[in-house]
Amino acid sequence: MIPFEFIIRLFAASIAGGALGIERESSNKSAGLRTNMIVSVGASIYVMISASLLEGSSTGDPSRVMGQIVTGIGFLGAGVILHQGSSVKGLTTAATIWCSAALGCLAGFGMYWELVASTLLIIIINTVLRKADFWFVKKNTKK
């Protein structure tokens, strides 16, 4: 991979992670702009290292690296989940961190259209469906 393509993919990962992070920051959530950007960029770097090591080689599987990214990010996401009495907080933030890693993987493989579509969908889910959460909470508290 040429250095220019490496840099473009890093910037794509940082923009996608940043978009998720801005949404989290605007909601005053614990994992915001920097966390989501770093997770996305880090995942992209690991994917690009794996792909670079496999260039010209008929053996190896870059999906194994992605599997390890998913596992590692699971531990990071677990750190933002808080259990308080009968309520659990931070699940959406943990899921967003997990998705941020996936966006980094897309950027690392140069799948730019998929990256844009996925980023937009995650932001829509986090913003539009937040209103649905309030509706369900309000409905359940009336019972």
Side-chain angles (χ1 to χ4, degrees):
M1 172 182 316
I2 60 173
F4 182 72
E5 182 66 24
F6 183 85
I7 292 168
I8 293 296
R9 291 179 185 190
L10 279 181
F11 279 125
S14 67
I15 290 168
L20 293 187
I22 288 171
E23 184 278 322
R24 296 278 83 196
E25 289 278 350
S26 68
S27 303
N28 291 323
K29 301 301 178 181
S30 58
L33 180 64
R34 290 183 303 153
T35 302
N36 281 283
M37 286 180 81
I38 290 170
V39 165
S40 185
V41 168
S44 178
I45 291 169
Y46 281 119
V47 165
M48 288 188 288
I49 290 170
S50 174
S52 293
L53 291 175
L54 294 174
E55 281 180 6
S57 173
S58 61
T59 60
D61 183 7
S63 69
R64 293 179 67 187
V65 170
M66 286 188 302
Q68 296 304 313
I69 291 169
V70 170
T71 302
I73 294 302
F75 284 104
L76 182 62
V80 299
I81 299 172
L82 302 170
H83 189 280
Q84 297 172 337
S86 63
S87 70
V88 178
K89 296 187 185 265
L91 290 174
T92 303
T93 299
T96 303
I97 292 171
W98 188 61
C99 287
S100 189
L103 295 177
C105 291
L106 286 171
F109 281 116
M111 301 172 72
Y112 301 117
W113 288 110
E114 295 86 345
L115 176 64
V116 169
S118 300
T119 303
L120 291 174
L121 181 60
I122 295 163
I123 290 171
I124 289 168
I125 290 168
N126 274 347
T127 55
V128 173
L129 295 183
R130 183 180 306 123
K131 293 178 172 84
D133 282 346
F134 289 124
W135 183 76
F136 285 117
V137 168
K138 203 183 293 183
K139 184 179 178 183
N140 288 333
T141 55
K142 287 181 180 178
K143 290 183 178 179

